[in-house]
Amino acid sequence: MEDAGFVIGSYVVVFGGIAAYAATMISRARRLARRVPDADKPWT
């Protein structure tokens, strides 16, 4: 139990980094999707 702080901190850093990366990718994708003409969007 003496290493619990290190283990929990490591999990927080890893999952925080993954969340930040995912947020960056979603933001970038939305920004790029706005630049695509409607004719080239098969999902609309």
Side-chain angles (χ1 to χ4, degrees):
M1 285 303 286
E2 57 193 43
D3 293 330
F6 177 75
V7 172
I8 292 170
S10 297
Y11 272 100
V12 168
V13 168
V14 168
F15 287 119
I18 291 170
Y21 180 73
T24 302
M25 290 296 109
I26 290 170
S27 172
R28 185 180 297 175
R30 286 183 178 173
R31 193 173 345 118
L32 289 173
R34 280 189 232 124
R35 297 174 54 190
V36 177
D38 285 338
D40 293 335
K41 295 179 184 175
W43 59 88
T44 59

